Amino acid sequence: MKSRDIRKKFLDFFNQKGHTIVPSAPMVIKDDPTLMFTNAGMNQFKEYFLGNKTPKTTRLTDTQKCLRVSGKHNDLEEVGKDTYHHTMFEMLGNWSFGDYFKKDAIAWAWELLTEVYGIDKDIIYVTVFEGSDSEGLELDQEAYDYWKAIVPEDRIILGNKKDNFWEMGDQGPCGPSSEIHVDIRPAAERSKISGASLVNMDHPQVVEIWNLVFIEFNRKADGTLEKLAAQHVDTGMGFERLSMVLQGTTSNYDTDVFTPLIREIETITSTEYGTSEETDIAIRVIADHVRAVAFAIADGQLPSNTGAGYVIRRILRRAIRYGFTFLNQKEAFIYKLVDTLSKQMHEFFPELKKQKNIIYNVIKEEENSFLRTLAQGLLLLDTVIKENDASEIPGEKAFELYDTFGFPIDLTALILQEKGYTLDQKGFQEALEKQKTRSRAATKVETGDWEVLIDDPVEEFVGYDLLETPVKITRYRKVDSKKEGTMYQLVFNITPFYAEGGGQVGDKGYLQAANGDVVYIVDTKKENNLIIHLTKHLPKDIHETFTAVVDAKQRERSAANHSATHLLHQALRSVLGTHVEQKGSMVRSGYLRFDFSHFSKLTNDELSAVADFVNARIKEHLPLEENRHTPYHLAIENGAMALFGEKYGDVVRTIKFGESVELCGGTHVKNTRDIWHFIIRSEGAVAAGVRRIEAITYDTAQEYFTSQTEAFHQVKEVLKGNSADPLKAVTALQEENSALKKQVEQLLKEKAKGLKSELKASLESVDGVQFLATEVDLDQGSIKDLAFDLGSEYDNLFLLFGSNHNNKAMLSCYISKELVKERDLNAGTIVRELGKLIQGGGGGQPFFATAGGKNAAGIPEALQKAKSYIQA
């Protein structure tokens, strides 16, 4: 059975059982601060389980793209080493919100697996929660009895809390689960050893394929459990493992989910899958990781050095490293797999085809960048080896390569082994653990339970129309973190505060009590469909009615910038072409940032055309045309722009200014004239194929013009007599300055030539080396020219020059290449050591290197020590 048919049969089955089929949510999560990525099928339904939103239907089904590489669910280091763990995977799921429960969930799972998919009933095992004394929970007798009516009791296995009690996190909805395992070992093996003994023992052919979770409790902050008002079903079946079972293979990677990618990797790298363990692991790593990276980029997450972007970069670099080390790939190649992946999966995930060019170029650029890092790391590792006298390389040195330069530790260990060295693994792990401890301490957050004051789960946002309104606090909780200290999160019955989302920052403002007391709202965020207002202090009487007031000035600025991003998007598509798509934005009160797909730097003419387009729309005084309740399909049919990676509901809000129409939940000006003016401050690259424009509007643009006018008058004042034509006067000054610089450079060269003969006369013969260590009054460029000029006349020259030019201490070391080779000298190593005397550091090549520092008083001692490097 082909993988596409496996997906379809699952969705069709539950559709016939009254479930609505919903699309996969983006893999990159943007509206839940507790998660970076969708790591389970239930993530997009958290608000339903928490009771913060009521679903339109109580039965849903989908196939959800997931990523597990960080936090509690972290499979990254297992990927490739076995045949059933993955970073990105699909989870087939069916959901019940207060509708059916254990009986139907179990019966339908059995029906689908045995009757629709035709899996042999005799190879299926199930687990049931055995209970927990510490939690005061008994055996899940209800699930046990339902299974007992279907399967023999010797295939029902009791599982502990670790395996059979599912929790969303440290707090929140949870409940017992029932796993379904399949034993796909050959019949001969099954007859010798019962599959029951191998369940949950990490056997590659006795695998869990489906987990039925029965959500009936809520975990509180103190660890206790309370019964939920309604019971829910949350199931997740691993699509890749199911494909393995149904296609009769013993590895996920032998299914048609992965074989097209593996065949392409074999072709590109001239290798053959199945010939060696090292090669097989590398190919599996690459086949898995390219999927994760491609889907993340399609959802709008570019590789970067922080947050979710760092996780994506780390996954891709792991794939590059395996290709570099085990497949001998010294040039970028993983990007070539994007076309195969797109062809294979675009039917169910059209974003792969739509975003193919961006994915292709971003991966290619990331590969080239990391390959350069690897080359640099190899040179640095050579230096570490040369500077180390012992056969074991210190762990902290290896950690520095890993932490500062991104050089993989296992590659470090491999190279050291090839060169006859060992690595202090314990020292490395200690350094790594210290860093992790610091990071955990810095980011640790303790969140209390919600204190519910009013049972009102539906919070109405009125901020499109009002900036001030009476409110009641419906719930609050305390949050402690090292970064922010103690904060309180408040939820109101209604709120005028806009929560951070769609690139726009959250509102600030205050709550005012009847007696005039004020509590300031420092930020507004959204979590699981709740608008959360952050404060440093609780009001004295949390039960009274308050007046919620939004900071109107900041809102006006943010609204102007947000509306400008819509006009900018339209302008870029008009000037550059319809290939331009928004790839991210940041709307603050002071400026806007807009990322978009384009493959070259914008020319000055293009930037001018874009700014002119936006300002023309501003001058047209276009009114805001807002529709808050448009069916999604109708909005798209009417030409509204939707962004990849965003999650939209059935009903959406559209924002229209003239010909610009977008789906958007942000705040906007009532008329484009309120933007006042649009000024582009910068344009540059974010990643391959993605550019970024930063711009200002409204009063920030007014302040910019005011400051520029003042600066212009100051320039005229400085020019004094030449102020009638400032441009001409400045041009003349530039030309004069350029001519003077050339004269100075010529004088310095002549000075260096005159100095050369004096230095030659000062050369001292030390152990067969022409040696000189002295201080010179030259700039760095002249010193380098002088050193190489002298070096051209000798093949045994050692020079160390000290200088204090423009209040910066410098050391420059030149060593003839013949000496470098014969005596194993290294100018880079020497200046790094001597640089400590001038409170600085540096480096360079073995035959020429420089160091800079702030302590010129240390130059004489450095010059004095230079001779020790050549004396026997």
Side-chain angles (χ1 to χ4, degrees):
M1 190 182 297
K2 297 292 185 183
S3 58
R4 66 174 307 280
D5 298 322
I6 295 171
R7 274 195 208 94
K8 190 172 186 308
K9 283 181 181 292
F10 182 91
L11 297 175
D12 287 347
F13 176 84
F14 281 104
N15 187 229
Q16 291 164 8
K17 300 293 185 185
H19 293 64
T20 299
I21 301 173
V22 295
S24 172
M27 192 167 70
V28 182
I29 294 180
K30 299 177 182 177
D31 59 356
D32 184 348
T34 66
L35 286 172
M36 281 186 184
F37 303 102
T38 297
N39 62 13
M42 59 74 58
N43 289 158
Q44 67 166 312
F45 308 122
K46 279 175 69 174
E47 56 203 24
Y48 301 149
F49 293 123
L50 290 165
N52 298 336
K53 188 176 181 180
T54 303
K56 292 182 178 178
T57 177
T58 58
R59 298 182 181 188
L60 297 175
T61 186
D62 71 354
T63 177
Q64 173 65 53
K65 50 189 176 182
C66 300
L67 190 69
R68 287 188 179 176
V69 288
S70 59
K72 179 181 176 183
H73 299 292
N74 187 352
D75 295 336
L76 181 59
E77 294 308 319
E78 301 302 319
V79 175
K81 295 178 182 177
D82 62 32
T83 60
Y84 53 92
H85 278 104
H86 303 289
T87 50
M88 180 265 168
F89 60 96
E90 287 181 66
M91 188 169 281
L92 304 169
N94 59 290
W95 322 88
S96 167
F97 307 106
D99 190 344
Y100 64 85
F101 202 46
K102 298 178 184 179
K103 181 178 180 180
D104 289 330
I106 289 171
W108 290 339
W110 185 258
E111 180 184 350
L112 176 64
L113 293 177
T114 61
E115 296 180 25
V116 177
Y117 288 138
I119 298 176
D120 184 355
K121 298 176 182 180
D122 292 335
I123 66 170
I124 297 176
Y125 293 85
V126 299
T127 63
V128 172
F129 180 50
E130 67 183 6
S132 170
D133 291 338
S134 63
E135 299 280 8
L137 296 174
E138 297 180 352
L139 164 73
D140 187 356
Q141 191 66 50
E142 184 181 5
Y144 190 95
D145 291 341
Y146 287 136
W147 278 120
K148 188 171 68 171
I150 297 173
V151 301
E153 284 191 78
D154 62 355
R155 293 215 300 276
I156 304 175
I157 301 160
L158 298 184
N160 58 24
K161 181 183 170 185
K162 176 179 176 292
D163 291 325
N164 282 90
F165 194 87
W166 187 91
E167 306 198 48
M168 181 187 296
D170 294 333
Q171 295 167 243
C174 54
S177 69
S178 186
E179 299 171 344
I180 301 175
H181 297 252
V182 180
D183 182 356
I184 57 173
R185 294 175 299 153
E189 287 189 34
R190 295 203 304 271
S191 66
K192 294 176 183 177
I193 302 174
S194 169
S197 65
L198 300 175
V199 166
N200 280 328
M201 300 301 291
D202 288 328
H203 192 288
Q205 292 169 269
V206 182
V207 293
E208 174 198 343
I209 59 169
W210 206 347
N211 193 13
L212 316 180
V213 180
F214 311 120
I215 296 179
E216 51 185 314
F217 300 105
N218 178 55
R219 174 77 69 185
K220 300 178 71 175
D222 63 5
T224 59
L225 296 173
E226 62 182 5
K227 271 280 190 180
L228 291 173
Q231 297 175 325
H232 313 292
V233 170
D234 158 21
T235 87
M237 176 150 59
F239 170 68
E240 292 78 11
R241 293 185 182 185
L242 178 62
S243 296
M244 174 182 70
V245 173
L246 295 180
Q247 293 181 12
T249 72
T250 55
S251 162
N252 292 1
Y253 293 91
D254 291 336
T255 68
D256 68 346
V257 178
F258 288 96
T259 51
L261 286 171
I262 289 174
R263 297 292 90 80
E264 189 65 17
I265 295 169
E266 287 177 313
T267 300
I268 294 171
T269 63
S270 300
T271 56
E272 185 177 346
Y273 187 65
T275 56
S276 78
E277 184 64 12
E278 282 187 347
T279 300
D280 289 356
I281 290 174
I283 290 175
R284 288 197 292 266
V285 165
I286 294 161
D288 173 274
H289 288 9
V290 70
R291 288 167 23 110
V293 173
F295 272 94
I297 295 171
D299 277 349
Q301 181 57 65
L302 298 174
S304 68
N305 285 329
T306 58
Y310 176 71
V311 175
I312 300 306
R313 175 166 284 169
R314 184 179 168 214
I315 294 171
L316 181 54
R317 286 186 167 186
R318 185 171 187 259
I320 298 167
R321 168 167 51 90
Y322 270 87
F324 181 89
T325 306
F326 301 109
L327 304 184
N328 197 35
Q329 296 303 297
K330 310 306 181 190
E331 296 181 358
F333 75 99
I334 295 173
Y335 72 95
K336 297 176 183 178
L337 302 172
V338 172
D339 188 54
T340 299
L341 181 63
S342 174
K343 289 176 181 176
Q344 179 188 358
M345 300 191 72
H346 76 269
E347 179 184 355
F348 284 90
F349 302 99
E351 62 269 30
L352 285 177
K353 186 174 183 180
K354 179 72 174 176
Q355 304 296 311
K356 186 171 74 171
N357 287 340
I358 289 289
I359 299 168
Y360 179 96
N361 284 284
V362 169
I363 292 178
K364 183 178 182 181
E365 177 58 32
E366 281 289 312
E367 284 192 85
N368 285 325
S369 174
F370 188 51
L371 287 169
R372 289 192 293 271
T373 296
L374 288 178
Q376 180 189 16
L378 291 171
L379 292 174
L380 291 170
L381 185 55
D382 282 341
T383 302
V384 169
I385 292 171
K386 287 179 180 176
E387 292 176 348
N388 193 68
D389 295 331
S391 61
E392 184 178 66
I393 302 300
E396 59 268 23
K397 288 289 186 181
F399 180 75
E400 184 181 337
L401 281 173
Y402 168 81
D403 189 45
T404 307
F405 303 101
F407 199 72
I409 187 60
D410 52 355
L411 188 55
T412 297
L414 183 68
I415 293 169
L416 290 176
Q417 183 181 4
E418 290 174 352
K419 293 178 177 288
Y421 290 82
T422 58
L423 172 64
D424 173 20
Q425 291 279 5
K426 183 180 178 183
F428 173 83
Q429 288 300 328
E430 288 174 352
L432 180 62
E433 194 54 43
K434 284 180 183 177
Q435 184 204 52
K436 287 181 176 180
T437 301
R438 289 193 299 268
S439 178
R440 281 194 293 265
T443 58
K444 185 179 180 182
V445 177
E446 293 182 1
T447 305
D449 290 319
W450 285 112
E451 297 290 340
V452 178
L453 306 180
I454 302 172
D455 187 12
D456 184 7
V458 179
E459 182 182 20
E460 183 183 359
F461 174 65
V462 296
Y464 294 138
D465 305 308
L466 301 171
L467 295 183
E468 181 176 329
T469 189
V471 303
K472 297 281 286 184
I473 300 174
T474 62
R475 64 175 80 178
Y476 72 92
R477 67 183 178 187
K478 182 180 177 182
V479 178
D480 289 307
S481 69
K482 186 171 183 178
K483 182 179 180 182
E484 303 291 344
T486 297
M487 300 286 290
Y488 293 91
Q489 298 180 346
L490 313 181
V491 178
F492 308 147
N493 57 334
I494 62 173
T495 180
F497 285 82
Y498 177 81
E500 179 182 326
Q504 182 176 332
V505 295
D507 282 334
K508 297 181 180 180
Y510 60 89
L511 281 183
Q512 187 167 29
N515 65 0
D517 286 348
V518 167
V519 171
Y520 290 97
I521 307 295
V522 298
D523 202 356
T524 311
K525 295 183 180 294
K526 198 165 190 177
E527 181 179 328
N528 299 316
N529 205 47
L530 288 178
I531 296 175
I532 295 173
H533 310 78
L534 281 73
T535 72
K536 287 284 188 182
H537 308 283
L538 280 177
K540 291 179 181 177
D541 182 1
I542 57 178
H543 297 282
E544 73 169 289
T545 298
F546 301 89
T547 301
V549 183
V550 173
D551 183 331
K553 194 65 178 177
Q554 179 165 295
R555 169 70 80 83
E556 288 170 6
R557 291 168 172 164
S558 297
N561 283 332
H562 202 151
S563 298
T565 63
H566 286 218
L567 300 181
L568 174 58
H569 195 184
Q570 183 190 10
L572 289 165
R573 288 173 66 85
S574 175
V575 173
L576 303 178
T578 55
H579 66 281
V580 170
E581 290 183 349
Q582 181 176 337
K583 291 298 171 189
S585 67
M586 172 61 75
V587 177
R588 308 186 75 90
S589 61
Y591 72 98
L592 66 91
R593 190 178 75 201
F594 189 82
D595 298 344
F596 58 97
S597 54
H598 189 59
F599 297 102
S600 61
K601 179 179 174 61
L602 271 67
T603 65
N604 289 334
D605 288 344
E606 287 171 334
L607 286 171
S608 296
V610 168
D612 290 346
F613 184 101
V614 175
N615 285 313
R617 305 292 82 75
I618 294 172
K619 291 177 182 177
E620 287 173 4
H621 294 185
L622 300 173
L624 166 65
E625 297 179 49
E626 176 195 24
N627 193 319
R628 299 180 189 173
H629 305 288
T630 304
Y632 176 81
H633 69 90
L634 188 60
I636 299 300
E637 289 172 7
N638 291 336
M641 294 281 292
L643 306 180
F644 271 96
E646 293 292 337
K647 179 184 174 184
Y648 297 104
D650 297 330
V651 177
V652 295
R653 176 172 177 254
T654 60
I655 296 297
K656 187 175 189 292
F657 290 108
E659 298 301 314
S660 168
V661 189
E662 295 195 21
L663 306 185
C664 182
T667 65
H668 291 273
V669 297
K670 299 300 182 185
N671 190 293
T672 57
R673 66 168 171 263
D674 299 329
I675 301 172
W676 195 76
H677 199 73
F678 174 83
I679 302 171
I680 295 176
R681 299 299 304 273
S682 66
E683 187 274 342
V686 179
V690 180
R691 311 292 297 177
R692 171 174 292 171
I693 281 178
E694 292 192 359
I696 55 175
T697 68
Y698 194 55
D699 57 356
T700 309
Q702 294 175 358
E703 293 166 5
Y704 173 78
F705 281 126
T706 300
S707 66
Q708 291 295 299
T709 302
E710 290 176 355
F712 177 69
H713 286 306
Q714 289 171 2
V715 169
K716 290 181 70 175
E717 182 65 25
V718 170
L719 293 171
K720 292 182 179 177
N722 297 319
S723 61
D725 189 347
L727 181 61
K728 184 177 180 180
V730 170
T731 302
L733 284 173
Q734 287 179 323
E735 291 173 350
E736 182 181 351
N737 183 56
S738 179
L740 289 172
K741 282 178 70 176
K742 288 180 180 178
Q743 290 179 28
V744 170
E745 288 172 3
Q746 185 60 35
L747 287 171
L748 286 171
K749 285 182 180 179
E750 291 175 4
K751 181 179 179 180
K753 285 181 181 178
L755 186 60
K756 177 182 175 182
S757 57
E758 294 179 23
L759 296 176
K760 287 176 68 175
S762 301
L763 287 172
E764 177 184 357
S765 180
V766 179
D767 290 339
V769 175
Q770 292 296 310
F771 170 81
L772 177 63
T774 188
E775 190 167 353
V776 293
D777 183 21
L778 293 172
D779 69 309
Q780 192 56 36
S782 299
I783 290 175
K784 183 176 181 180
D785 291 341
L786 178 60
F788 278 83
D789 195 14
L790 282 167
S792 65
E793 299 184 20
Y794 301 90
D795 59 8
N796 63 338
L797 185 64
F798 183 108
L799 296 175
L800 182 70
F801 289 141
S803 66
N804 185 16
H805 195 73
N806 292 331
N807 296 318
K808 183 177 182 181
M810 293 291 297
L811 296 174
S812 302
C813 182
Y814 175 91
I815 307 174
S816 297
K817 291 185 177 179
E818 290 81 1
L819 280 182
V820 169
K821 188 175 181 180
E822 291 171 8
R823 303 206 179 188
D824 196 26
L825 295 172
N826 188 306
T829 302
I830 291 170
V831 297
R832 268 194 295 274
E833 292 174 354
L834 296 179
K836 296 172 184 176
L837 299 174
I838 58 171
Q839 295 179 16
Q845 296 172 297
F847 56 88
F848 184 77
T850 61
K854 55 186 179 182
N855 178 30
I859 291 176
E861 185 179 355
L863 296 175
Q864 185 179 355
K865 285 192 172 184
K867 191 178 292 186
S868 65
Y869 289 98
I870 58 172
Q871 288 177 324

